[in-house]
Amino acid sequence: MRLDLLSERLPATGGITAEGMLNLIGRPALSPMELVIREAAQNAWDARLVKKLKESPPPEFEIRLRTLSADQRLSLETLLPATAEPKAGNELLAQMASALPVRVLEFADFNTVGLSGEVDPSADRDEDRNFRSFFFDIGDEHAASGDGGTYGYGRSSLYLASRAKTIIVDSHVGGTEDNARRFMACRIGHRYERRGFTARTGARFTGRHFWGRSLGEGAIGPLLGSEATAAAESIGQPVRQDSRSGTTITILWPETGGRPLTGPALAEIALLHLWPKMVSDVGPLAMRIRVLEEGEAVNIPPVANHRTFGLFAAALLVARSREESLGARPIKLPRREIVTGHLSLEVGAPPRRSVEEPENPDQDGPSNPFTKGVSHVALMRPAELVVRYLEVPGAKADGRQWAGVFLSSDEEEIRNLFAEAEPPAHDDWVAERIVDVADRQIVSRTVRSLIPNAVRNAFGPRETDTGATNQAFSLAATADAFSSQFIGGAGTAPGEEIERSSKPRNTKPKVLKLSGPEFQSLRSDNGRPVARFRLHVEGATGRSVILRATAAIAIDGGGESSESPSDPVGLLPPEVLGWMSANEQVRTLGPDASPGSDGTYFIDVLFRGEYAVSLSVAGSED
């Protein structure tokens, strides 16, 4: 059987090219294998039948690593005719020409809806567009769903995981209709031009190629029915009966970064990133995940009994309840009464190095965050895909390991804010992605201060060697406020320039330049919190310059409060303690200083509440 080939043309007005699509995912910290397993598993979870039909069996997800037989390789070469893309840089052509065995990585899900909906990309839009969204559409957003996949770009990871940038997809949408089974292949290569006899007869191509059945007029669709079944089984994709609805994605020649790829390495990745899918409140509804290497099952330890992930699983069950009486701590923004989510913590045994170290350190396994033991909070939205593991130093539970889960609020507004903060790879919460400043603070304060503070408060202060309370804990509440105001230098006044008041005629005025005060650190001075700022001065050498530092309370949104004791929020105002030069040779008490020379100076500010300080500095000349 030989498939029809369609190479996508670039419209005359331009459009996104294949390289552009692959670049949409950015530069995530996760490995290609981690990205693609997370993406495929989340797609399967979103498509689970039980979400629509409560009596349906739980979804199943298989990760299959195998080598094509000689007959399967011949079928592959017959199915995919060569593209007109130039040979130079054509990854598929290079792999096809190799005499090495053809290894494939497959993701097969069962008891899912499959790639349902209309298959003709030119047909009228309908509500069910799973097939067309997967193959043809770029950038469709469905943020309101809350099920992950907010950007629609994650499927780029499927192509990036293939050295040939090619995937083959078989899907069964259930039932016995002729179009229930769909089979199609796609490659994301490189844009190119095909020159004609004249400038008008040439054509430009995006670099995307589709193999299926021609629908005429520049459109292509999948093989359907028995043809699709025969094509899928000819290359060894799983056999599917009517009751085995779902999708298989075959990634040709998986990209391993030059390291051997094995079933145990894939099992480690699955456990690290997919354990929430294996945790159910009632047991049978959790996703069933299997790893197969050359047809043999690879052991994935049960999550509930795992030394590390058992702690996370127990914490997740509590966080899902969102019940404070059960241990789900609400995370609230101070003074705004906004609950951004719930945190749950579980304490286990002391760390055991042999357990936390990866079993396959030289293979393409996960970047293990637990090499020094578990003291992390798994951050996730209600979609329950781990965004990242947030380490919280200084929060040890009597030397024992602990694990936490923060589950962001299911309120639509808050849920969508955390979704907006995620890059296309869904591997972090980056508050700076949010345009609105107030909304940005909801995410930044939650991650950078409120969650760590809640953890430290839950475990209590650690004692230092001198017996004094650990400063990191004693300043936790104030660090919360500072972290939300001083991201990227926010919260301090800009620098200024002032001209010398008396200057000789016919000479350029000498200018005093002050950088904006930059927040440096917090410390405890006899139990009182002190903030230190840094300021750079130019143009003061040899002049009688007086600098005055003015401190005020920085309120949410980046503004400042009144400096008087009758502050509108009822807080005592901050006080400038004094100045110190970088070489510590100049020390001045109080808000005024005469630097006498250019250089860097530090300003210490005492404050008396859980707020951040905004500092401004003005200069004048005697």
Side-chain angles (χ1 to χ4, degrees):
M1 184 185 304
R2 186 179 179 88
L3 301 182
D4 297 327
L5 168 67
L6 173 68
S7 296
E8 184 181 61
R9 284 200 178 200
L10 189 67
T13 55
I16 191 166
T17 62
E19 291 95 333
M21 183 176 176
L22 291 179
N23 287 333
L24 289 172
I25 203 164
R27 301 269 189 269
L30 300 176
S31 71
M33 281 299 106
E34 289 178 281
L35 282 174
V36 73
I37 288 175
R38 284 162 51 98
E39 171 69 14
Q42 188 64 43
N43 287 345
W45 181 254
D46 291 344
R48 61 196 185 278
L49 286 174
V50 73
K51 186 169 63 171
K52 297 182 177 181
L53 305 171
K54 292 187 177 180
E55 300 302 319
S56 299
E60 300 177 16
F61 181 68
E62 284 186 357
I63 305 172
R64 297 155 49 100
L65 185 64
R66 63 187 180 92
T67 304
L68 298 191
S69 68
D71 288 343
Q72 291 168 352
R73 176 171 187 156
L74 182 59
S75 294
L76 173 68
E77 294 171 347
T78 303
L79 283 171
L80 305 184
T83 69
E85 186 179 341
K87 293 182 179 180
N90 187 326
E91 297 93 345
L92 177 60
L93 188 62
Q95 295 298 328
M96 286 286 197
S98 172
L100 296 175
V102 179
R103 291 205 96 193
V104 299
L105 176 66
E106 286 177 330
F107 303 111
D109 57 64
F110 305 92
N111 303 325
T112 57
V113 298
L115 295 179
S116 54
E118 176 61 59
V119 299
D120 184 349
S122 62
D124 292 338
R125 293 288 167 179
D126 54 13
E127 291 185 3
D128 189 350
R129 52 181 184 174
N130 286 341
F131 184 89
R132 290 187 294 186
S133 292
F134 182 90
F135 275 105
F136 303 115
D137 296 340
I138 299 173
D140 277 357
E141 295 189 9
H142 46 97
S145 72
D147 281 340
T150 309
Y151 298 91
Y153 297 149
R155 65 184 181 277
S156 299
S157 65
L158 299 170
Y159 299 94
L160 288 171
S162 165
R163 290 204 296 273
K165 303 297 183 288
T166 305
I167 64 173
I168 301 176
V169 181
D170 167 48
S171 191
H172 197 310
V173 300
T176 58
E177 290 81 1
D178 290 342
N179 66 350
R181 192 77 178 261
R182 293 111 184 266
F183 181 92
M184 193 164 173
C186 182
R187 163 171 156 76
I188 296 184
H190 309 275
R191 65 181 181 273
Y192 64 97
E193 294 185 17
R194 186 185 299 162
R195 299 187 179 278
F197 293 106
T198 69
R200 292 180 178 272
T201 59
R204 296 186 301 160
F205 294 85
T206 67
R208 289 208 296 172
H209 309 277
F210 302 91
W211 290 268
R213 276 289 176 257
S214 174
L215 302 178
E217 298 183 357
I220 196 166
L223 295 185
L224 299 175
S226 58
E227 276 194 320
T229 300
E233 294 181 0
S234 74
I235 59 171
Q237 290 181 316
V239 174
R240 291 182 180 272
Q241 306 300 329
D242 294 343
S243 60
R244 299 281 280 172
S245 62
T247 300
T248 300
I249 301 172
T250 299
I251 295 175
L252 300 175
W253 296 280
E255 179 62 70
T256 65
R259 295 174 292 180
L261 183 62
T262 67
L266 295 173
E268 287 182 21
I269 295 175
L271 193 58
L272 179 63
H273 292 285
L274 306 182
W275 62 265
K277 307 303 183 195
M278 308 179 205
V279 178
S280 172
D281 297 321
V282 295
L285 298 184
M287 179 183 276
R288 297 172 182 172
I289 299 178
R290 294 184 291 271
V291 175
L292 301 173
E293 183 174 13
E294 304 298 350
E296 297 293 327
V298 177
N299 179 54
I300 299 179
V303 172
N305 301 328
H306 195 276
R307 179 182 176 88
T308 296
F309 297 106
L311 295 177
F312 284 110
L316 176 59
L317 289 173
V318 174
R320 281 176 181 168
S321 74
R322 305 198 185 268
E323 293 290 337
E324 195 167 358
S325 61
L326 298 179
R329 298 166 172 83
I331 300 300
K332 294 182 180 180
L333 282 179
R335 298 189 300 278
R336 296 179 66 177
E337 294 302 313
I338 296 177
V339 176
T340 63
H342 289 80
L343 172 71
S344 176
L345 301 169
E346 292 289 332
V347 178
R352 191 174 65 202
R353 185 175 178 82
S354 60
V355 172
E356 272 64 6
E357 286 185 341
E359 296 179 10
N360 301 282
D362 295 328
Q363 297 172 357
D364 192 27
S367 48
N368 185 10
F370 309 130
T371 54
K372 296 180 181 178
V374 185
S375 55
H376 299 70
V377 176
L379 307 178
M380 61 183 76
R381 287 189 286 121
E384 295 188 3
L385 181 68
V386 177
V387 172
R388 71 181 175 97
Y389 291 96
L390 175 68
E391 186 174 10
V392 183
K396 300 292 184 181
D398 299 325
R400 294 180 293 170
Q401 295 189 114
W402 63 267
V405 167
F406 172 76
L407 193 60
S408 69
S409 172
D410 202 23
E411 294 291 331
E412 182 176 353
E413 181 179 357
I414 302 301
R415 184 186 69 208
N416 289 344
L417 274 184
F418 281 92
E420 185 180 349
E422 291 180 13
H426 306 292
D427 59 348
D428 202 354
W429 281 333
V430 184
E432 289 75 11
R433 295 179 62 88
I434 302 174
V435 176
D436 184 82
V437 174
D439 288 344
R440 189 185 310 153
Q441 286 189 0
I442 291 175
V443 175
S444 66
R445 295 188 69 178
T446 296
V447 176
R448 297 175 182 179
S449 56
L450 296 181
I451 293 175
N453 292 344
V455 172
R456 296 186 184 106
N457 289 337
F459 292 132
R462 280 196 302 161
E463 297 298 311
T464 63
D465 293 338
T466 61
T469 300
N470 182 287
Q471 290 182 0
F473 172 77
S474 64
L475 292 177
T478 52
D480 166 19
F482 270 77
S483 67
S484 67
Q485 293 289 339
F486 297 116
I487 303 304
T492 55
E496 65 170 45
E497 297 184 1
I498 60 172
E499 293 185 0
R500 185 171 179 172
S501 58
S502 57
K503 52 185 181 291
R505 192 175 295 177
N506 299 325
T507 62
K508 293 183 67 175
K510 190 172 184 180
V511 176
L512 175 69
K513 295 182 179 180
L514 307 177
S515 68
E518 179 184 355
F519 170 66
Q520 288 293 291
S521 62
L522 290 173
R523 75 173 191 275
S524 178
D525 185 357
N526 294 323
R528 305 181 305 171
V530 175
R532 172 162 288 186
F533 295 80
R534 182 174 67 178
L535 175 79
H536 190 73
V537 178
E538 292 184 16
T541 301
R543 299 169 62 184
S544 299
V545 173
I546 297 177
L547 303 180
R548 166 161 289 187
T550 302
I553 297 173
I555 60 176
D556 285 342
E560 298 179 358
S561 73
S562 165
E563 199 183 0
S564 69
S566 59
D567 186 273
V569 293
L571 300 174
L572 293 174
E575 174 188 351
V576 178
L577 295 179
W579 294 66
M580 181 180 69
S581 62
N583 58 14
E584 301 188 5
Q585 293 182 3
V586 176
R587 292 178 180 267
T588 305
L589 297 179
D592 295 341
S594 298
S597 62
D598 298 350
T600 298
Y601 293 84
F602 296 101
I603 307 169
D604 287 341
V605 180
L606 169 70
F607 56 103
R608 304 173 178 86
E610 295 180 8
Y611 56 76
V613 175
S614 178
L615 188 70
S616 60
V617 178
S620 62
E621 195 168 20
D622 284 346

